[in-house]
Amino acid sequence: MGAAHDEFALIATEVRSAVQSGVARRFDDRILVEIGFGAFVPKGVVTTSQYVCTPDGKVVQRELTLQERAFVIEDGQPRSVVADRTPELSDRQIEEVCRAVAVAGAYYQQPSVEFGITSDGSFFLIDFVDEDTEGAAPEALNVIAPGRVSGRVIRIDDDHDLLMESLDFHFHTDRSDAAGSRPADDPVVVLARLPYLSLERFIRGRDPRSVGFVFRNCSYLSHLSIVLRELGIPALVDAKAFDTLAADSVVLLDSASQTVGPATPRQAGQGRTR
């Protein structure tokens, strides 16, 4: 760090090994909890299981997902490992997560709570992240950001590069937007396997009214998902659409009907529509 900065501060803390890690946030009278094996769950680089709970920890909905790979930190560097398991939380662990959300909510406005689960099942707190926004409750867990947009399909298939950039953003937060450049405004619907944080760079180079996203799997509480909602960019989870839509086809993404399908000639190329 000294090679790049004249002055800086380092915060040293105990490093605990989490078999699973997750993030939770309260929306109105419900708490959404997302959990995955390894680290970097909020970065959108792994698939997650999701729980919707009451504030006292009673589960009212659960969406369990097979996680193919996980990430661990060894010698200061992230490393991919095979998971091929479904991340799950016990009733006691969910109650502990909800209690942490309640404590954080007494001091922060709408905080996201990041946590870890050790090999013996113990819960520990990683961080409180103050979102500083009220945030709307999910219409449905597959509606990442509400809205309606039509445009040409772009497929993002180079997962490895996006993944490594996303992990790099975790360690290096000095980001620069393309200042002075005119944002692209040809309407597009982007298909991506996961909500990679590095896709934020793609968003910043476009007019937000001219883009939508379809994910094969997506964490509602990932950093990219939060950015999409802040910018009003429509986004859905639709595995079938991801698997079947061809590049350069013209589609309409509509969160109200939770569908992605061929656009009519009138809708084609209009970008965001009412």
Side-chain angles (χ1 to χ4, degrees):
M1 289 193 59
H5 302 279
D6 294 330
E7 296 182 5
F8 57 90
L10 295 178
I11 299 175
T13 185
E14 178 186 6
V15 177
R16 303 186 66 179
S17 178
V19 174
Q20 296 186 93
S21 59
V23 59
R25 185 179 176 189
R26 181 167 179 167
F27 296 92
D28 299 326
D29 62 346
R30 292 290 184 264
I31 293 175
L32 174 60
V33 183
E34 298 185 329
I35 185 73
F37 291 107
F40 305 112
V41 165
K43 307 307 176 209
V45 296
V46 298
T47 56
T48 58
S49 290
Q50 299 171 308
Y51 295 85
V52 179
C53 314
T54 61
D56 60 353
K58 300 296 187 296
V59 177
V60 298
Q61 181 183 352
R62 71 185 73 209
E63 298 287 342
L64 303 181
T65 304
L66 178 69
Q67 183 178 339
E68 296 178 352
R69 61 185 175 187
F71 292 89
V72 296
I73 302 176
E74 293 180 349
D75 299 324
Q77 297 296 324
R79 182 173 68 88
S80 174
V81 297
V82 175
D84 281 338
R85 291 182 290 163
T86 298
E88 296 185 65
L89 292 172
S90 68
D91 292 342
R92 177 183 60 82
Q93 290 165 341
I94 289 174
E95 290 175 358
E96 290 179 307
V97 172
C98 291
R99 183 158 50 261
V101 171
V103 171
Y107 298 94
Y108 297 91
Q109 181 181 1
Q110 296 296 320
S112 289
V113 175
E114 296 183 31
F115 62 91
I117 304 294
T118 62
S119 58
D120 65 0
S122 300
F123 166 90
F124 69 93
L125 187 66
I126 295 176
D127 198 6
F128 292 156
V129 180
D130 193 357
E131 302 294 353
D132 198 30
T133 58
E134 288 297 328
E139 295 179 18
L141 291 179
N142 66 316
V143 179
I144 302 303
R148 193 168 185 260
V149 65
S150 64
R152 177 176 57 88
V153 169
I154 292 179
R155 296 191 64 95
I156 305 295
D157 292 323
D158 193 356
D159 290 352
H160 179 74
D161 288 349
L162 290 172
L163 185 153
M164 296 311 297
E165 286 182 13
S166 296
L167 295 181
D168 184 66
F169 282 1
H170 175 81
F171 293 104
H172 308 97
T173 57
D174 291 338
R175 305 181 203 173
S176 60
D177 295 332
S181 62
R182 181 180 182 275
D185 57 6
D186 57 312
V188 296
V189 174
V190 180
L191 272 59
R193 186 174 300 278
L194 289 166
Y196 296 109
L197 181 58
S198 52
L199 288 172
E200 184 179 351
R201 182 179 299 166
F202 178 89
I203 295 170
R204 299 301 183 186
R206 303 192 63 85
D207 182 337
R209 296 169 296 180
S210 70
V211 63
F213 280 85
V214 176
F215 300 104
R216 199 178 200 289
N217 185 280
C218 185
S219 160
Y220 190 87
L221 298 177
S222 72
H223 292 328
L224 182 71
S225 299
I226 293 169
V227 170
L228 294 177
R229 291 192 289 273
E230 288 176 345
L231 296 178
I233 296 175
L236 289 176
V237 176
D238 190 328
K240 182 178 179 180
F242 178 89
D243 291 341
T244 59
L245 290 178
D248 295 326
S249 60
V250 180
V251 299
L252 174 68
L253 183 162
D254 186 359
S255 71
S257 61
Q258 300 178 28
T259 59
V260 185
T264 66
R266 183 178 179 180
Q267 295 166 336
Q270 289 184 348
R272 191 177 303 174
T273 60
R274 294 186 179 182

